[in-house]
Amino acid sequence: MKKLLLATAIAALSVSAANAAPTVYGKAFLAMDYVNAELDGPTGNMYDEDTVEINSHASRIGLKGSEAMTANTDVIYQLEYGTSIDGDSNGFKNRDTFLGVVNKQFGEFRVGKNQSSLARIDNVVVNQGYFDNLGQTQNEKEIVSALNMADSNRIPSSIIWTAPKYNNLPLEISAMYSSDDANGNDNAGFGVAALFDQGTGFTAGLAYDKDQNIAGDIIRGTATVDLGKYMAAPVRLGALYQVADYDGGQSKEKGFVISGEMPLTNFARPASVYAQYNNTSNLNGFDNSDSDQIVVGGKYMYKDNIIAHLYAGMNKADNVGYSYNTGTKNPVTNEDIFASTNGDAEVFVVGTGLEYKF
């Protein structure tokens, strides 16, 4: 009997330990990018770069898991950190890191550093590598940037709630709050989002954000359609429209994105090609500061977790603010003196890389 009780206890402990064990995950994405970037200011060419860079794109490592608290409630957690595996910067930087609970009746709560609720409807972006976002992509030397509309960021000191599904209603509803110490401002922020998805190949989303990603308001709408669900055209199309009202801005920033991705069937392994166009007016709320961006690319999956990438893109931004080193020093502090001006920036990139997920 004692042996039986001991064996039962060991088995119970093993099951408990297995349930509590975290999952280790991540990805390494290294690319070789040819970058041609320049800025033309009021006095002529302010900066010109023409080089080949080795870049790490959104490489990360993380731990995540869950454990039952009660019959209806689980604790969930995630610790995710980004790292530059090309060695350009040392250490790790927080990505989505949170502790939370999931309850069948009340939904999911995550507390920590979370992507804003705007990201809950962001299923339109198809870009990979250098241009894999809506917002700013900055080049290696952080001088000339590829500029687009305001994007979703990870918000520290935040809580995000995802509502449970009611009567199988095909709607995902989220709400977010961030305390006033987030982003170094004195305003608490909040956001809400709703994504409609019946699983039929069509989605529609609407989100509102205040004092989280910018000091001001953002409203975003998205829609996607998988034409392969309705006709003999295996293309997935997406569209996004956004208006950002910056506190103290001259005008509202307005932007839209159109994207498309098509699988290729004449390869031994899954492959696809994609294209995405971004247009933004009144960048950061400043009049006559506009940008256009076009990116095309392709992916080839050697395995589900080993993906080869090839892409090319250009971003042109007019009348954007720029801070530069004047080449002189403060006679008292001996620190470099910087000045600000406006100019026209252009960034052209061709890249290829390999992504490994684990």
Side-chain angles (χ1 to χ4, degrees):
M1 178 62 70
K2 291 182 179 179
K3 290 182 178 180
L4 179 60
L5 290 173
L6 180 60
T8 303
I10 292 173
L13 287 172
S14 299
V15 171
S16 176
N19 288 339
T23 298
V24 180
Y25 69 96
K27 79 171 185 178
F29 187 171
L30 273 177
M32 180 176 291
D33 296 321
Y34 165 72
V35 180
N36 184 285
E38 61 183 51
L39 177 78
D40 293 325
T43 59
N45 187 277
M46 305 291 294
Y47 175 77
D48 194 347
E49 179 187 24
D50 188 11
T51 186
V52 175
E53 301 174 352
I54 304 298
N55 290 322
S56 173
H57 296 305
S59 299
R60 69 197 70 161
I61 188 168
L63 300 172
K64 61 182 178 181
S66 65
E67 187 168 350
M69 289 178 63
T70 68
N72 294 322
T73 305
D74 291 349
V75 169
I76 58 173
Y77 60 90
Q78 179 173 296
L79 304 172
E80 183 176 294
Y81 301 93
T83 183
S84 296
I85 60 173
D86 57 351
D88 285 339
S89 60
N90 297 321
F92 296 89
K93 184 177 180 180
N94 285 63
R95 289 172 59 90
D96 290 55
T97 54
F98 59 82
L99 180 65
V101 294
V102 178
N103 181 274
K104 293 181 180 179
Q105 287 184 303
F106 301 109
E108 177 186 275
F109 295 84
R110 297 180 178 183
V111 183
K113 187 176 185 180
N114 299 285
Q115 268 283 4
S116 77
S117 50
L118 288 181
R120 293 296 178 96
I121 65 165
D122 183 12
N123 53 359
V124 174
V125 172
V126 295
N127 289 346
Q128 302 286 316
Y130 192 91
F131 293 103
D132 68 342
N133 65 345
L134 291 179
Q136 178 172 299
T137 298
Q138 211 156 42
N139 76 330
E140 188 90 355
K141 298 183 184 302
E142 300 185 354
I143 295 178
V144 179
S145 303
L147 296 166
N148 295 295
M149 69 187 77
D151 200 3
S152 175
N153 293 298
R154 293 177 177 86
I155 310 299
S157 303
S158 65
I159 177 170
I160 187 164
W161 168 70
T162 305
K165 290 289 180 69
Y166 294 105
N167 297 322
N168 296 318
L169 184 68
L171 197 64
E172 182 182 278
I173 298 173
S174 305
M176 187 175 194
Y177 170 82
S178 56
S179 64
D180 59 6
D181 62 341
N183 299 326
N185 60 42
D186 296 326
N187 299 318
F190 68 90
V192 292
L195 180 66
F196 175 82
D197 186 0
Q198 288 181 300
T200 61
F202 171 78
T203 72
L206 186 64
Y208 173 76
D209 181 278
K210 181 174 179 60
D211 291 332
Q212 294 201 130
N213 296 288
I214 66 170
D217 305 80
I218 297 176
I219 186 166
R220 172 184 291 182
T222 62
T224 65
V225 59
D226 185 352
L227 296 180
K229 300 284 188 178
Y230 305 98
M231 61 183 73
V235 180
R236 183 179 180 274
L237 301 176
L240 179 150
Y241 183 75
Q242 177 174 291
V243 177
D245 189 3
Y246 287 80
D247 293 345
Q250 298 170 333
S251 300
K252 292 182 179 180
E253 179 190 86
K254 299 178 180 179
F256 68 86
V257 176
I258 300 173
S259 67
E261 185 167 9
M262 181 179 70
L264 302 176
T265 58
N266 54 342
F267 288 90
R269 295 288 303 170
S272 65
V273 292
Y274 59 84
Q276 181 174 313
Y277 174 69
N278 296 34
N279 178 278
T280 309
S281 301
N282 304 321
L283 281 163
N284 300 317
F286 294 106
D287 288 340
N288 303 315
S289 182
D290 308 319
S291 76
D292 289 276
Q293 178 177 291
I294 180 72
V295 178
V296 295
K299 298 182 291 184
Y300 183 83
M301 302 178 71
Y302 289 100
K303 293 183 177 180
D304 291 344
N305 64 326
I306 303 177
I307 308 167
H309 295 269
L310 179 66
Y311 48 84
M314 174 176 283
N315 179 285
K316 298 182 69 175
D318 300 327
N319 196 33
V320 293
Y322 168 69
S323 179
Y324 65 97
N325 192 329
T326 62
T328 60
K329 293 185 179 293
N330 186 306
V332 177
T333 64
N334 200 38
E335 295 179 346
D336 292 334
I337 297 176
F338 287 81
S340 298
T341 186
N342 283 3
D344 299 332
E346 182 175 303
V347 179
F348 173 73
V349 176
V350 176
T352 183
L354 186 66
E355 178 182 8
Y356 175 71
K357 299 178 179 180
F358 59 90

